Amino acid sequence: MTPRWLEWIPTGGASGVMALRRAARAVQDGDAEIVACIAGDTANEGVFEDLRRRFSRFASEAVYPFGAGGPNAVFALITDHYIRRFGATREDLARIALAHRANAIGNPNALLGQKPLTLDDYLNAPPIATPLHLFDCVMPCAGAEGFLVMSVERAKALGLPYATIRGAIERHNAFSDDPVAVQSGWAMDRDQLWAQAGVEPSAIDCAQLYDDYPVIVMMQLEDLGFCEKGGAAAFIREQGITVDGRLPINTSGGQLSCGQAGAAGGFLPVVEAIRQITGEVLGRQVEGARLALASGYGMVNFDRCLATAAAILEGQRS
């Protein structure tokens, strides 16, 4: 291959939406006609351990030597802070993990999709990094995701079902003065996102949110405007987030049930959003899904995330 346009996006969980935005710009500007956005990783145990140990100078020099290296320690801090500030409970976090497992039924790519998860299973699971337990954490795995970006005219000419981008945002190093992350870049740009799309959050048929840990799903619901800050637990209880709920979230099972293919995990929300709104699902279909939101959260430091992104897509079926 001799491609005339390349982009490398090392932003982990935010990379899928960022790839979508930048590929669309390349097509708009004539730098490319069709862009293949592809992510894959083997999540080899040795490579994963090395990433954890060398993630940043802060991690290798100030955290890892004391036994607190890696994402589990970071998100234990974030989760504990969220619980203390807003009064969320482990049962509230469990609703996310249980809903994702229910959504994974029928998806052949969901590694845990055929393994039922009960509330007792969740609550009695082994602790990993307090307050995180086993089913709060994603399972590293090998895998890949991908999608194509081209003009509407090209998609029609090829007879492909497709989705159009109604709005998209990205932000880096947001709220860096917060002692511990309780909000992130979506909160800065969500008004622009909804204005671009010309819709309100209530119009979204399904949301595909980056879910390396349940607390991040809660933060996204709040920062993207589906509910007020600290209101995610009540929102999930009242709305329901399974495929047949009022706002289906992570209809493939998300990373909590599919597994996290290393740095490729950031593409899963975009791929599942496209599948749902074009009627090409691998598992359970959200009835009448037309508008989907996909978001990403990537490259954490000790106390926060460094990159966030979100996009609203509208399905067009040929």
Side-chain angles (χ1 to χ4, degrees):
M1 296 180 65
T2 58
R4 61 188 176 100
W5 185 88
L6 284 172
E7 177 73 281
W8 176 56
I9 307 175
T11 53
S15 59
V17 175
M18 292 181 184
L20 176 70
R21 293 182 81 243
R22 298 176 193 189
R25 298 294 191 202
V27 172
Q28 287 175 331
D29 291 341
D31 291 332
E33 295 180 4
I34 300 177
V35 180
C37 299
I38 299 171
D41 208 334
T42 61
N44 174 274
E45 182 178 347
V47 173
F48 184 79
E49 173 62 20
D50 189 61
L51 172 65
R52 189 174 76 128
R53 182 163 54 90
R54 301 177 182 275
F55 184 78
S56 68
R57 286 187 61 187
F58 182 84
S60 61
E61 297 175 5
V63 178
Y64 190 86
F66 299 95
N72 288 334
V74 173
F75 285 95
L77 176 68
I78 294 172
T79 302
D80 182 69
H81 182 252
Y82 185 95
I83 288 172
R84 292 174 184 270
R85 181 164 177 177
F86 298 115
T89 66
R90 287 199 65 217
E91 287 80 2
D92 293 323
L93 298 172
R95 289 186 179 90
I96 297 172
L98 268 61
H100 287 20
R101 190 64 60 87
N103 289 346
I105 296 173
N107 179 1
N109 287 342
L111 300 184
L112 302 177
Q114 305 308 314
K115 297 182 179 181
L117 180 64
T118 68
L119 180 59
D120 285 343
D121 293 335
Y122 176 91
L123 295 176
N124 296 321
I128 302 299
T130 304
L132 300 179
H133 288 238
L134 181 64
F135 297 114
D136 293 307
C137 307
V138 293
M139 177 178 63
C141 65
E145 296 99 16
F147 53 89
L148 300 177
V149 176
M150 64 191 76
S151 68
V152 169
E153 292 73 21
R154 176 62 67 88
K156 289 180 176 178
L158 294 173
L160 299 174
Y162 63 93
T164 55
I165 304 170
R166 292 281 297 266
I169 55 173
E170 72 175 76
R171 175 71 63 168
H172 302 266
N173 202 34
F175 302 108
S176 57
D177 291 335
D178 288 356
V180 180
V182 73
Q183 59 188 339
S184 203
W186 310 289
M188 289 186 173
D189 301 306
R190 70 186 185 201
D191 290 344
Q192 179 186 6
L193 175 68
W194 297 115
Q196 288 175 6
V199 298
E200 299 291 330
S202 58
I204 295 299
D205 296 309
C206 62
Q208 313 298 338
L209 309 179
Y210 191 77
D211 66 326
D212 49 357
Y213 299 86
V215 71
I216 300 306
V217 173
M218 290 184 166
M219 285 176 55
Q220 286 168 91
L221 286 172
E222 296 161 359
D223 292 354
L224 286 165
F226 289 98
C227 59
E228 72 280 359
K229 178 54 68 177
F235 179 90
I236 291 168
R237 286 196 301 267
E238 296 163 5
Q239 300 289 320
I241 60 173
T242 56
V243 169
D244 54 0
R246 292 182 64 182
L247 180 64
I249 294 177
N250 292 346
T251 49
S252 67
Q255 294 181 102
L256 288 172
S257 287
C258 290
Q260 184 185 70
F267 274 54
L268 183 59
V270 178
V271 170
E272 178 63 14
I274 294 170
R275 286 191 177 281
Q276 283 289 339
I277 59 180
T278 58
E280 297 191 315
V281 298
L282 293 178
R284 304 175 66 191
Q285 172 74 61
V286 175
E287 185 176 356
R290 183 180 64 88
L291 283 175
L293 181 144
S295 61
Y297 184 90
M299 306 310 290
V300 295
N301 204 337
F302 179 65
D303 57 354
R304 68 185 185 279
C305 168
L306 299 179
T308 54
I312 297 172
L313 306 176
E314 183 175 8
Q316 309 288 337
R317 306 185 190 187
S318 58

